[in-house]
Amino acid sequence: MSLVRLNIKGISYSQTQNGAYALILSEMDGERKLPIVIGAFEAQSIAIALEKEIMPPRPLTHDLFKNFADRYEIVVKQVIIHKLVDGVFYSSIICERDGIEEIIDARTSDAIALALRFKAPIFTYKGILDTAGIYLKTGKKKSDVEKVDKDAVIEDLLFDDDKESLSTATNDYKNTTLKDLKSLLSEAVANEDYESAARIRDEISKR
């Protein structure tokens, strides 16, 4: 199965789950986006890695891992999001030391936080993107969309740990018809509510 390289498009607030964020990945040579729900700590770590000018006073967990790996000459070569089960993405970190490669299982949020620090590429399989990818539908200019998506939450993640999520409501789609789910998915994507879109997409996939 062929691999598809992904870029990090940005991080958005969770609108359905308190304390969570949606990491938006974009295929390099296409228009599909892959939303992944992550926790606040992981979102903060990824935001700091994206914002090159921000240096935490003490190393974060992922910075510590990078320092440890550098000391022992371990290099992260790439990250592969290799499986999707019940809405949960599974990832592998491909490492190398002394010419020997090792594959390490990891949460996707941790794997991406490390990939940023090692400047390692991020991949997923085409089948996963075919199943979980969504298309961005917006009338905004591409440059404007990228700026909003990438920068909207970084300041809050870095400097306002007490800020509540935009909404603490949770949505239960179990009793929603498949036809209505598809309609809700289109609406969520049109509104750039990627985290809700991801949850609706997962419910559709289960059926």
Side-chain angles (χ1 to χ4, degrees):
M1 192 178 296
S2 60
L3 288 172
V4 179
R5 186 163 179 178
L6 302 171
N7 290 323
I8 297 177
K9 182 175 176 62
I11 304 171
S12 68
Y13 293 111
S14 167
Q15 298 186 21
T16 61
Q17 185 174 343
N18 187 28
Y21 294 81
L23 173 66
I24 314 300
L25 303 176
S26 174
E27 63 177 326
M28 179 171 286
D29 298 317
E31 298 296 325
R32 287 176 295 183
K33 307 298 182 288
L34 193 66
I36 300 175
V37 179
I38 62 176
F41 172 79
E42 292 78 12
Q44 182 184 60
S45 181
I46 291 170
I48 286 175
L50 289 171
E51 192 70 21
K52 304 297 184 183
E53 298 180 359
I54 300 297
M55 291 295 295
R58 299 293 296 156
L60 299 177
T61 302
H62 299 108
D63 297 320
L64 175 61
F65 184 98
K66 174 66 164 57
N67 295 338
F68 186 91
D70 288 344
R71 181 68 60 89
Y72 289 94
E73 299 181 345
I74 300 170
V75 178
V76 172
K77 305 289 290 185
Q78 62 184 0
V79 163
I80 300 176
I81 303 171
H82 64 85
K83 186 168 64 173
L84 172 61
V85 179
D86 293 334
V88 178
F89 292 90
Y90 292 76
S91 294
S92 295
I93 301 174
I94 313 302
C95 302
E96 182 181 88
R97 182 174 185 266
D98 295 335
I100 300 174
E101 283 194 355
E102 297 286 349
I103 301 175
I104 300 175
D105 182 43
R107 296 188 307 167
T108 297
S109 55
D110 290 328
I112 290 174
L114 291 174
L116 283 170
R117 286 162 171 80
F118 282 90
K119 296 180 173 58
I122 302 166
F123 296 93
T124 192
Y125 289 109
K126 182 178 181 297
I128 291 178
L129 200 55
D130 289 342
T131 300
I134 60 176
Y135 285 93
L136 174 66
K137 297 179 181 179
T138 176
K140 297 179 182 179
K141 294 181 180 178
K142 183 178 180 181
S143 58
D144 293 338
V145 173
E146 289 179 349
K147 179 175 178 57
V148 171
D149 285 343
K150 187 171 183 179
D151 300 334
V153 300
I154 287 180
E155 183 176 349
D156 296 281
L157 283 168
L158 298 180
F159 304 114
D160 192 359
D161 292 337
D162 294 329
K163 184 178 179 65
E164 293 185 357
S165 178
L166 292 182
S167 173
T168 58
T170 58
N171 289 327
D172 186 352
Y173 301 109
K174 293 181 180 179
N175 298 322
T176 306
T177 65
L178 189 59
K179 180 179 179 181
D180 289 340
L181 283 173
K182 291 179 179 179
S183 177
L184 288 171
L185 178 60
S186 298
E187 183 180 345
V189 172
N191 293 331
E192 299 181 41
D193 182 3
Y194 300 111
E195 198 271 343
S196 292
R199 291 180 176 280
I200 299 168
R201 175 207 63 206
D202 293 340
E203 182 62 30
I204 293 174
S205 298
K206 289 179 184 178
R207 301 188 187 186

